[in-house]
Amino acid sequence: MTVRGDFKEPARPRPDLVIGREELFAGAREQLSDGGSVLVHGPAGIGKSTVLRALAAECAESAHTVLRCSATESESHLPFLALADLLGLVVDQVSDRLPAPQRTALESALTGRGESTLQRDGLALRLAVLSVFRALAAQGPVLIVADDLQWLDPASAELLGFAARRLGEMPVRMLSAVRTDTEPRDQQHDRHLRASPPDTLAVRLNPLSRAQVAELLGHRGYTGLPRTTVRDIHRTSGGNPLFALELGRALAENPARPSPGEPLPVPTSLRALVLSRLEMLSAEARHTLLVASAGARPTLALLHAAGRQNAEAETAHAASLGLLATERETPAIRFAHPMISAALYAEASAQERRAAHAALSTAASDPIERARHLALATTGTDPQVAARLGEAAAAARDRGAPSVAAGLGLLAARHTPPETVPGPDERRLQAAEDALTAGESDLARDIARDALRRVTAPAERVRAWMVVIDAAGQAMAEVDAVFPQALADAGDDPRLLALVRYQLAWRALLVEGEMAKGREEAAIAAQLAARAGDRPTELLALGFQAQMETLMGHPGAPATIQRAMREPQDPRVACDHNGAGAARFRWLIMGDQLAEARTTITALLREVRRRGMVESEVHFLRGLAETELRSGHCGRALDLARESLRLARDTGIGEAATAMFTSLAEAAGGDVDRALALAREAVDRAEEDGDLVYLSRALGALGHAQLVAGDSLAVVQSLRRVRELEERLGVTDPARGRWHGDLAEALVRIGEPVEAQDVIDATRARALRLGRESVLAVLDRAEALVRAARGEQGPAVRQLTAAQDRLGKLGYGLEEARAAYALAGLRTHRPGPTSYDEATRLFRRCRALPWLRQVESATAAGPAAVPATTPLAPAALDSLAATERQVAALVMEGATNREIAARLFISVKTVEATLTRVYRKLGIRSRVDIVRLAAGRRSG
C-alpha cells in the first residue's frame, strides 16, 4: 500500500505508544532522521508494531512516498504478495522508465498473470525492484515500512533484500519489524539485518518495568487497580505489553478480584496464544507441567518427590516445544515465559489444582511452601491448617519476607474458624501490618477497612485505624475523618491513646504544617506509651519528637535522641525510618558529621533490607544518597537516588519525597532537564497531598535545578516560597534544606544584592547559634558574590578562597568545587584558558557533569562569558536607549530593582526586561558588570 507525500499521518503518537521506550524511540528517530534504516525486533506482543506505527507516523511527514506491507502467517506461502503490497499502487508511476524485460517480469509478478518465478526471471525481477526504488527516490525521499518480516513470502523477502543491499546513497529508508523469541541470545534477527540496508540499526524491544506496566494500564483506562494486582500483572505478563493489557482487560471485566496468592484470570485469547503447543504433550506430561506451574521454585527433584516419575523426559519434550527454557547452570525448571505457567494453571480445573498442591504439600522441603500448598489443597475452615499457616507466616516475617507473610496470614484467616484464638480478624490485621511492612499499602488498607466492618473490640479497631492511617502515607489529609473515630475507639486506654496521639503528631506536621504542635503531640504520645508499658510506641514517638526538635533548632534535640537510644530497644523500631536511628542520622548529617552519618545509614539500610521493610528501605536509600551527595560523590549519589526512585515508583511509597531528592542528585551529577521535571513532579504531588513539609523541600529542589539551569528569576521565585513555608512550619535550622546560599546567589544575579545580604545575615545568625559550619561556609561563598556586585573585588576573592578551603576540610566536595568555580570568575586578572582548571578538576572528581558543562561553556565562550571579570568600555553606555541608560545609571548607584521601579514609575518586571536588553547590548550578563563599568568611569 502506498501513502503519498500529501497524506497526513498523525503528527505524534499517543503517549501510551512509547511508554518505556523513550530512549529507544529517540535513538531510532535520530537514525531515521539521518537517513538510516531501523529494524525493530522482539517476541510476540512486545510492542513492535506499535513502535513501528509511531515511528512511521513521524517519518512519513518528511517522505515523498511511503511504501507499506504487513505480512501474515496464513498468506506467507503466496509468492510476491508482500511485493504487491509495497509496489502495487506506485509501479504505474515509474514503469515507463524500466527496461522492457524488467517491466514485463515485474508486471507478471505483481498481477499474477503469467508464470513469473525467481528461478525463471530472477535477475530481471531483482533489477526491476531496484529500478523502481531508484525512480521513486528521484522524485523525493522514500520510506519503506515492513511489519512482521518473519511472515514475508520468500520471493518478496529475497527481492526486497537484494534491493536494500544496493540502495547506496539513494534517499530510501527502511523501517521494519520482525518477531524473535523471548531469549535474546539467539540473535534471530541477524538474517533479516543482513537483508537490510548496510546502515540499519537493530533495536530490540525488552519487557516493560512494573512502573511502566502500571503507566500503560492507566493510559488504556484500567485505573484503580491495586498496586499488588499491578505487581501480579507485571510478573505474570513478564513485562509484555500485549499480555499486560489483556490481563488488565480481564480483571476490568471480572467484578470479583482474585485474593492475594490466587492466580490472575487469564483470558482465553492469551491461553490460546501461549498454549497452542500444549496439545502435542501427553496428559501425563501436561499434569507434570501443572505441578511445576503450582510450585514456587520447581526442580526435577521436587517433581519426583511430588510423584512425577517421568519428569525428565516430559520436561525435555516440553523444552523442545518451547514451553520450558533450558537451564544448564541450575536445576530449576523455568517456563519460557511466565504467561505459559499462568495460562497452564488457569486452564486446569479446581480439582486438578488442588491435587497438584496436595502433592507439593508433602514434596516441598521448605516449611513455608508446604504450609502454603496445604492451604491451597484444603477447602473450608481447618484449625490445624490455620495454625500451620500462622507459624509459616511468622517464619516468613523472621526471614524478612513480609509480603509472603501477608499472603500466608490471609490464607490462615480463610481457614480459621470464628471461635478460634487467634481469630480470623486478628490474623487479617497481622497480615495487613505485614503488607504495610512490605510496601503493599493498598492491600493493607483494604484488609483493615474490611476488618473494621466486623470487629468491635477497641484494641482491634484502633489497630485497624492505624493501618488505614499508615497506608495513606504522605497524603494523610485523605484520611482526616479517621482521627475522631480512632480517638473514640481508644477511649481512655493509655496504650491505645498513645497510638492515636502518635498519628496526630504526624497529622499536625503533614496536614496542618505545624512542627511545634507535632512535637507536643509526640511528647504526649511518648508519655502515654511509657505509662502503658508500650516501649515500641514510646520509641517511635521519641524518634518523631527528636526529628521535629532537630529541624526546629530546638536545644532539647540531643537529649531526646539520647532518651530514644536508651535500652530497652525494640529491634524493629530501632531500624524503622521513623525510629531513633533515623533521627540520629538526621542529626549527624545536619551537623556535618558525614563519615558517621554514612556508617549509621548504611547499617540501617542493611537491616531493613534483611527484614524486608520496604518503606524504610526507600527512606534509607535516599538518606545514603544524600550523604554521598553532601560528600561530593555525585555519581554514587545519583545511582542510589535512581534506585530509591525505582523502588518508590514500584511501591507507591514516598514518590514525591524521592522525586525531590532524585532531582537534587540529577542536578548535581546527571541531567538538568530531568532534575527540573522531577522537582516539578515533586511540587505537584506535595501540593495534591497537602503536604507542606515536602512541598518546601520540593520547591528547594526546584530552585536548585533552576539555578543549575541558569534561570535566576525562577530560582528566586521558588526559594522565596520556601522561605515563607519554612517560617510557617517553624523550621529554623538552615541545615535542613540548604537552599539559602542558592537564593542569595540568584538574588545577586538578578540585581538584588541588598535582599541577598539580608538572607545571608538572617541565616548566618541561626547557623552560628546551631554550629552549622558547612552552612556558614556556603553563606560566605554567597556573600563574596554580593561583595563583588558592589565592586569589592579584593575582599570578595579573599572570602571565596577561605570558603573554598573550609568546605574542602569539612568534606563537602561539590560545594568546594562551586566555590572554586565562583572564584574563577572573580580573578582580578583577565581570565585565560587555564582560569577554570581548579574548578574543572574538582567538578570532575565529584563527577558533577552539569557543573562541568557550565565550566566548558564558560571556557569555550572566552572572557566575554565571565561577568565578574569582563572589562567594559565606558562609552558602551552611549548605545543604550534613554530608559535603558536611566536604569543602568540607577544600578550603578546601587539601587535595587524595586527602588528603580519606584523612582521611574515602572513595574519591577519592566525593570528586569530593560536590564535584559542592557545586558544583551553591552555583551554582559549581570549587574556586576554595570557596577564595574561605573568604577571604570570614575577612575577614568
Side-chain angles (χ1 to χ4, degrees), residues 464-483:
W465 288 128
M466 296 304 99
V467 172
V468 171
I469 293 170
D470 278 332
Q474 303 297 125
M476 192 171 276
E478 295 178 2
V479 294
D480 211 26
V482 163
F483 289 96

Side-chain angles (χ1 to χ4, degrees), residues 39-49 71-73 146-152 176-183 187-192 203-204 240 242-243 273 276-277:
L39 173 68
V40 180
H41 64 101
I46 202 67
K48 302 180 299 299
S49 297
T72 62
E73 184 177 11
D147 200 1
D148 283 318
L149 287 183
Q150 74 277 2
W151 304 132
L152 235 63
S176 52
V178 63
R179 180 186 299 181
T180 52
D181 287 341
T182 305
E183 298 295 327
Q187 302 298 316
Q188 295 167 309
H189 68 283
D190 275 357
R191 67 185 180 91
H192 298 284
V203 175
R204 179 174 179 82
N240 184 295
L242 172 65
F243 296 171
L273 179 64
S276 57
R277 286 166 285 188

Side-chain angles (χ1 to χ4, degrees), residues 554-574:
H554 194 284
T560 305
I561 292 174
Q562 288 179 359
R563 284 176 61 200
M565 300 294 291
R566 289 177 193 155
E567 296 295 338
Q569 288 289 319
D570 180 87
R572 190 187 180 288
V573 175

Side-chain angles (χ1 to χ4, degrees), residues 79-81 83-84 103-117 121 125 159:
F80 306 117
L81 183 62
L83 188 68
R103 185 169 58 251
T104 301
L106 185 58
E107 180 182 345
S108 177
L110 294 181
T111 62
R113 294 192 295 271
E115 298 181 358
S116 181
T117 65
D121 303 317
L125 274 173
L159 294 171

Side-chain angles (χ1 to χ4, degrees), residues 398-727:
D398 290 341
R399 288 184 188 179
S403 181
V404 174
L408 292 168
L410 290 175
L411 285 173
R414 184 189 306 173
H415 291 288
T416 301
E419 68 280 0
T420 308
V421 178
D425 286 317
E426 186 173 348
R427 291 194 188 279
R428 288 190 185 94
L429 287 173
Q430 179 61 64
E433 291 166 352
D434 286 331
L436 269 181
T437 301
E440 298 174 0
S441 301
D442 52 351
L443 174 61
R445 180 198 58 239
D446 292 345
I447 297 170
R449 289 284 190 187
D450 180 62
L452 282 164
R453 285 191 282 268
R454 290 187 307 275
V455 299
T456 57
E460 289 188 336
R461 290 189 63 78
V462 170
R463 187 178 178 185
W465 288 128
M466 296 304 99
V467 172
V468 171
I469 293 170
D470 278 332
Q474 303 297 125
M476 192 171 276
E478 295 178 2
V479 294
D480 211 26
V482 163
F483 289 96
Q485 301 176 68
L487 280 170
D489 285 328
D492 57 2
D493 185 320
R495 184 177 67 83
L496 301 181
L497 276 174
L499 291 169
V500 181
R501 297 304 285 265
Y502 171 66
Q503 295 291 2
L504 283 170
W506 278 104
R507 181 188 178 280
L509 176 67
L510 297 178
V511 179
E512 299 179 36
E514 296 187 17
M515 284 191 175
K517 184 176 179 181
R519 173 185 172 272
E520 292 171 8
E521 288 285 1
I524 294 170
Q527 293 168 6
L528 287 166
R531 180 149 53 99
D534 182 358
R535 184 61 172 162
T537 302
E538 181 189 7
L539 290 169
L540 284 171
L542 287 171
F544 182 90
Q545 182 182 343
Q547 292 263 27
M548 294 305 97
E549 290 174 347
T550 299
L551 296 175
M552 293 166 61
H554 194 284
T560 305
I561 292 174
Q562 288 179 359
R563 284 176 61 200
M565 300 294 291
R566 289 177 193 155
E567 296 295 338
Q569 288 289 319
D570 180 87
R572 190 187 180 288
V573 175
C575 62
D576 190 275
H577 62 281
N578 290 322
R584 181 170 178 271
F585 162 74
R586 182 55 49 198
W587 175 261
L588 289 169
I589 199 167
M590 290 175 66
D592 301 326
Q593 300 179 59
L594 297 181
E596 194 172 352
R598 181 184 292 105
T599 301
T600 299
I601 198 68
T602 301
L604 287 168
L605 180 59
R606 186 185 307 116
E607 181 62 14
V608 297
R609 279 175 165 167
R610 188 186 71 79
R611 291 175 173 271
M613 299 168 65
V614 176
E615 184 171 5
S616 294
E617 183 180 357
V618 172
H619 280 263
F620 294 153
L621 272 171
R622 220 162 53 217
L624 182 56
E626 182 180 357
T627 309
E628 298 296 350
L629 187 58
R630 298 273 173 258
S631 303
H633 305 149
C634 299
R636 170 72 172 150
L638 184 58
D639 290 343
L640 288 164
R642 287 174 174 171
E643 183 182 352
S644 69
L645 186 59
R646 282 193 296 270
L647 187 57
R649 297 253 196 257
D650 280 349
T651 60
I653 293 173
E655 289 187 79
T658 310
M660 173 274 298
F661 184 78
T662 308
S663 169
L664 292 172
E666 290 282 357
D671 180 80
V672 179
D673 290 338
R674 175 76 172 148
L676 288 166
L678 285 168
R680 291 188 181 109
E681 175 193 339
V683 169
D684 292 343
R685 289 291 297 271
E687 287 181 329
E688 288 172 10
D689 293 342
D691 185 346
L692 299 180
V693 175
Y694 273 111
L695 177 58
S696 68
R697 296 295 307 273
L699 285 167
L702 178 58
H704 182 72
Q706 290 163 336
L707 181 81
V708 179
D711 190 350
S712 299
L713 284 171
V715 176
V716 172
Q717 183 180 11
S718 297
L719 298 186
R720 279 174 176 164
R721 283 190 68 192
V722 176
R723 181 168 56 185
E724 294 169 2
L725 279 168
E726 290 203 349
E727 288 174 1

Side-chain angles (χ1 to χ4, degrees), residues 808-826:
K809 289 177 179 177
L810 288 168
Y812 285 77
L814 182 57
E815 300 296 347
E816 176 192 5
R818 285 182 61 182
Y821 180 45
L823 190 59
L826 294 184

